[in-house]
Amino acid sequence: YTDWDGCNVPGNVVKNFIATFFGPGPANGLSRKEKHLIKTIEAAVGPEAWRSGEFYIIGTFNDPNYQNDAIRHELSHAMWAMCDEYRTEQLNHMNLLQLDLITHMFNWLNDSGYHQDVHDDELVAYLATSSMTQIGEQFVDGTFDAFPWDVIYKFQQTFLD
């Protein structure tokens, strides 16, 4: 079991989960709390987004030392999933990084428990929302003397725009 500061779930995944495990109606097989959670999400996203599955759920725990960082990180995942322009721009920035550096960062993600299917998204979330100090601690282990901070800035600026 690995503990993270936040989590994210695309709306279509929520809808598919309900349909797969709890039958055609949202109330079949669910506990009272699960029914309440689904109704709360449905009310929060509105009927059109609920029908289409075009929403994104972000969860964090209530710790002021981490909550803002976690929300920003999870927002990057939501933007990656729901905004083609954001994803394309961040992939363009990723193409500016040297292959050995990307390999090094992907190895760090592997070692941290991330599946390779989410490496691009996860790497962007870290580079776009972490402080330069955090990035240095996570990815710079002395093997990269000339770390491309100018490219990292582009990830962060795209997130802020």
Side-chain angles (χ1 to χ4, degrees):
Y1 176 78
T2 303
D3 184 30
W4 290 302
D5 296 334
C7 64
N8 62 86
V9 184
N12 65 317
V13 172
V14 172
K15 302 263 316 201
N16 288 340
F17 178 83
I18 293 167
T20 300
F21 293 102
F22 302 107
N28 291 346
L30 297 173
S31 72
R32 183 179 53 78
K33 288 181 180 180
E34 291 166 331
K35 291 174 192 174
H36 179 71
L37 177 61
I38 290 170
K39 288 200 176 298
T40 300
I41 294 168
E42 186 176 358
V45 303
E48 186 176 323
W50 180 257
R51 274 192 300 279
S52 69
E54 292 184 20
F55 60 92
Y56 215 84
I57 298 172
I58 293 173
T60 66
F61 65 94
N62 192 18
D63 183 337
N65 294 323
Y66 299 103
Q67 192 172 27
N68 287 339
D69 290 345
I71 289 172
R72 288 170 39 89
H73 182 95
E74 301 307 330
L75 280 173
S76 178
H77 290 306
M79 292 164 59
W80 177 272
M82 299 186 76
C83 181
D84 292 337
E85 183 179 341
Y86 179 79
R87 185 174 48 258
T88 299
E89 209 170 323
Q90 296 293 34
L91 285 170
N92 288 339
H93 300 329
M94 201 181 285
N95 287 333
L96 299 173
L97 298 172
Q98 293 180 356
L99 183 58
D100 59 340
L101 178 58
I102 291 175
T103 301
H104 172 74
M105 291 189 276
F106 282 174
N107 287 338
W108 182 88
L109 291 171
N110 271 334
D111 293 345
S112 298
Y114 293 100
H115 190 274
Q116 67 184 16
D117 289 350
V118 299
H119 278 185
D120 289 351
D121 177 19
E122 201 61 54
L123 183 59
V124 166
Y126 275 106
L127 296 179
T129 66
S130 300
S131 71
M132 296 300 182
T133 301
Q134 290 167 323
I135 292 169
E137 290 171 354
Q138 289 168 337
F139 298 121
V140 182
D141 64 358
T143 58
F144 298 95
D145 296 329
F147 199 76
W149 296 112
D150 57 325
V151 177
I152 304 308
Y153 177 77
K154 291 179 183 189
F155 284 95
Q156 297 193 354
Q157 192 61 49
T158 297
F159 174 77
L160 294 173
D161 288 346

